[in-house]
Amino acid sequence: MPIETVSTAKAHGGTLGVYKHDSASTGTGMTFSVFLPPQAEVGGKLPVLVYLSGLTCTHANVTDKGEYRKVCAELGIVFVAPDTSPRGEGVADDPAGAYDFGLGAGFYVNATQEPFARHYRMWDYIADELPALLAANFPVDLGRIGILGHSMGGHGALTLGLTYPDRFKSLSAFAPIVAPGQVPWGHKALGGYLGDDRAAWRAHDAVALIEDGKRPAGAVLVDQGDADSFLIEQLRPELLVAACEAAGVDLTMRLQPGYDHSYNFISTFMEDHVRWHAARL
């Protein structure tokens, strides 16, 4: 599984790198970042966090703004940030160029509808290809992988964590889309990628997965800003709270006063999330 090094830089005693490779899942080139803490130089395999970004983002948003490197260096955590969708020549996009579908908005599903089915296979990429690629090229322990994400990426983290609790041992999210089957972003994305059969949507809806019997490996942490402009229409955290209460899932839902949907919010609570995962990995 060859990868190309785009750049590396020293940070908090570790190394922040950006890498490219040809993806078998998406049939495109894919770019991701990896922060290796200083413990990577000692030897042995380290726990890893996979962070899934939100709409319009690439690997670079959290890499540049996430403020995770210091705490990852302290705790010996590898932090990985993949892209949010396939990109490149021939990759289908929203015909109107909308921000919430197509490029930058893969929604972490395997599309079944044309013209998206050929390349939009982010589910397979995150669940299978990326962990194998990391294990082949970096000192990571595949038995100690946590997953977290923001907004659309929070949706991806929750659905992957619920579906594969044997692979993703810890789970958290920032302002996730918890029930895409019940909100406009999800109706557009799941309908466009998966078609009109709403039964197929349930596999990519955290609330529906919990209702259908899926459970995470352990407790779940979610932070949500109460000044988030998407809170009422698109995010609806109360639906996740209700589903978890009904199913006995251990959810810590923290509504943070005054915080919005931006990386000002995410960076403020990132250390809490890294420590949450470290305690479980």
Side-chain angles (χ1 to χ4, degrees):
M1 296 183 178
I3 63 173
E4 175 187 344
T5 301
V6 177
S7 65
T8 60
K10 198 77 170 177
H12 294 281
T15 302
L16 177 64
V18 177
Y19 306 92
K20 295 196 302 186
H21 72 109
D22 292 327
S23 169
S25 299
T26 68
T28 67
M30 294 294 288
T31 301
F32 62 96
S33 69
V34 177
F35 175 70
L36 292 175
Q39 294 86 341
E41 298 180 4
V42 177
K45 295 184 177 181
L46 301 173
V48 57
L49 290 182
V50 175
Y51 176 93
L52 305 183
S53 292
L55 291 167
T56 75
C57 293
T58 70
H59 72 281
N61 296 76
V62 72
T63 303
D64 295 342
K65 303 175 184 177
E67 298 185 19
Y68 57 84
R69 290 180 284 272
K70 183 177 180 180
V71 67
C72 285
E74 174 192 336
L75 299 174
I77 302 288
V78 177
F79 193 99
V80 178
D83 203 346
T84 51
S85 78
R87 301 178 193 270
E89 186 177 353
V91 176
D93 194 8
D94 184 278
Y99 77 94
D100 55 358
F101 189 75
L103 296 180
F107 259 80
Y108 305 101
V109 303
N110 286 341
T112 59
Q113 304 301 298
E114 298 300 339
F116 304 98
R118 178 181 176 188
H119 296 300
Y120 283 78
R121 304 190 63 80
M122 292 300 294
W123 181 269
D124 283 353
Y125 181 73
I126 301 299
D128 298 313
E129 185 173 5
L130 183 62
L133 186 75
L134 295 172
N137 292 278
F138 302 96
V140 299
D141 181 354
L142 290 187
R144 294 188 290 166
I145 302 179
I147 191 165
L148 70 163
H150 169 234
S151 193
M152 178 187 72
H155 140 77
L158 290 173
T159 54
L160 284 155
L162 286 164
T163 303
Y164 300 117
D166 56 329
R167 302 185 198 182
F168 299 107
K169 303 298 187 182
S170 57
L171 176 60
S172 75
F174 300 94
I177 306 168
V178 305
Q182 301 185 55
V183 302
W185 273 342
H187 291 170
K188 181 175 183 178
L190 298 183
Y193 293 133
L194 303 178
D196 295 332
D197 180 7
R198 294 204 172 198
W201 296 11
R202 295 185 69 84
H204 298 285
D205 182 309
V207 167
L209 284 168
I210 292 169
E211 292 173 347
D212 293 344
K214 296 293 186 181
R215 300 292 182 266
V220 181
L221 172 64
V222 173
D223 273 305
Q224 171 66 61
D226 73 358
D228 190 322
S229 61
F230 302 114
L231 177 62
I232 295 173
E233 183 180 32
Q234 304 283 13
L235 305 178
R236 303 195 62 188
E238 73 279 0
L239 297 177
L240 183 64
V241 171
C244 288
E245 286 179 350
V249 174
D250 185 357
L251 170 67
T252 298
M253 173 69 72
R254 306 192 306 187
L255 196 61
Q256 302 292 0
Y259 284 91
D260 61 15
H261 200 68
S262 72
Y263 270 88
N264 297 310
F265 158 63
I266 297 165
S267 63
T268 300
F269 300 102
M270 179 64 82
E271 180 175 341
D272 289 357
H273 282 246
V274 174
R275 292 189 183 279
W276 167 278
H277 286 272
R280 289 158 177 80
L281 297 175

